[in-house]
Amino acid sequence: MYNCELLRFMNITDKQGNLTPVEGNRDIPIEIKRIYYITNVENGAIRGYHAHRKLHQVLICLKGSVNIKTLNPKEEHIYKLDNSYTGLYIGPYIWREMFDFSDDAVLLVLASDYYDESDYIRDIDNYMKEAKHRF
Amino acid sequence: MYNCELLRFMNITDKQGNLTPVEGNRDIPIEIKRIYYITNVENGAIRGYHAHRKLHQVLICLKGSVNIKTLNPKEEHIYKLDNSYTGLYIGPYIWREMFDFSDDAVLLVLASDYYDESDYIRDIDNYMKEAKHRF
């Protein structure tokens, strides 16, 4: 199991605009304890560079586009998120990097738990050591 | 008590962009059971036109700007949401209308419960009758 998966949400479109609902534990496999969102990312900036030991997340690009590289010790994938009705589920022990943010990109992240610094692995060598027996 | 309140969130800014975290039951007075987001709203469109009997919501404009009119039988307020670190809490029995969406507006709504059509009051006269003894 790679521990990453694209999810497709409802997109209710009419002349009043687009509306997408996402219900915790229903449309996504996690409860939404925390959200965060990223905007105004400079051209060329790369974010992420970490993995989580326990946290599950769903990334949704609400406007514009962004590329997400995910990897574990055995596989690497790049996902282009460029619409508001697709989410990228990322499970524990997946290293992620976000890059090629468009100027107008708005990236929303839904997280299964509150912020906990001890859940982060921020060094790729340490990540590889901890993760290599899990995949 | 008017049942609406502006909330200010953290805004972590660096050369990599802006990041705002919102934790359920901590940064906002509700658990996040459901989210939805609205994009690509046509010029002149007005959304909302309803109140909820039980649902609590927090509205955040992640990009662009939007005006939110809220009212109860005794008071009416207009809030201009034009940054990603301000949320508008709207409690039960508040009528709301969203208008003047900018072309690039992204409106995120955090909701305290799953979708339930029976929780909506969609007619302003019925709303006034049900709400008038509550304020």
Side-chain angles (χ1 to χ4, degrees), chain B residues 19-103:
Chain B
L19 188 154
T20 291
V22 181
E23 301 196 331
N25 284 330
R26 291 185 175 183
D27 301 309
I28 56 177
I30 60 171
E31 185 186 352
I32 306 168
K33 295 272 289 269
R34 174 179 186 252
I35 68 159
Y36 64 89
Y37 37 86
I38 297 169
T39 59
N40 298 320
V41 178
E42 267 190 17
N43 252 326
I46 307 181
R47 300 193 62 116
Y49 285 121
H50 65 265
H52 288 281
R53 294 184 175 93
K54 293 182 185 159
L55 197 72
H56 304 249
Q57 295 188 317
V58 176
L59 282 60
I60 312 168
C61 190
L62 302 189
K63 190 154 199 83
S65 62
V66 61
N67 286 338
I68 315 286
K69 180 164 99 174
T70 64
L71 62 84
N72 69 25
K74 301 265 173 58
E75 290 177 65
E76 177 177 318
H77 292 260
I78 291 177
Y79 301 92
K80 184 175 182 73
L81 299 183
D82 61 1
N83 65 64
S84 60
Y85 49 87
T86 298
L88 175 61
Y89 166 79
I90 301 182
Y93 282 103
I94 293 288
W95 186 266
R96 89 279 320 266
E97 296 170 15
M98 294 98 112
F99 61 102
D100 279 355
F101 284 82
S102 66
D103 286 343

Side-chain angles (χ1 to χ4, degrees), chain A residues 7-44:
Chain A
L7 309 170
R8 174 65 75 99
F9 306 127
M10 210 189 313
N11 185 26
I12 304 167
T13 301
D14 62 17
K15 61 186 179 178
Q16 304 277 70
N18 297 5
L19 187 153
T20 291
V22 181
E23 301 196 331
N25 285 330
R26 290 186 176 183
D27 300 309
I28 56 177
I30 60 170
E31 185 186 352
I32 306 167
K33 295 273 288 272
R34 174 178 187 252
I35 67 160
Y36 63 89
Y37 36 87
I38 295 168
T39 58
N40 298 321
V41 178
E42 267 188 18
N43 253 326

Side-chain angles (χ1 to χ4, degrees), chain A residues 23-68:
Chain A
E23 301 196 331
N25 285 330
R26 290 186 176 183
D27 300 309
I28 56 177
I30 60 170
E31 185 186 352
I32 306 167
K33 295 273 288 272
R34 174 178 187 252
I35 67 160
Y36 63 89
Y37 36 87
I38 295 168
T39 58
N40 298 321
V41 178
E42 267 188 18
N43 253 326
I46 307 182
R47 300 192 62 116
Y49 284 119
H50 65 265
H52 289 281
R53 295 184 174 92
K54 293 182 184 160
L55 197 71
H56 303 250
Q57 295 187 316
V58 176
L59 282 60
I60 312 168
C61 190
L62 303 188
K63 190 152 199 84
S65 62
V66 61
N67 286 338
I68 315 287

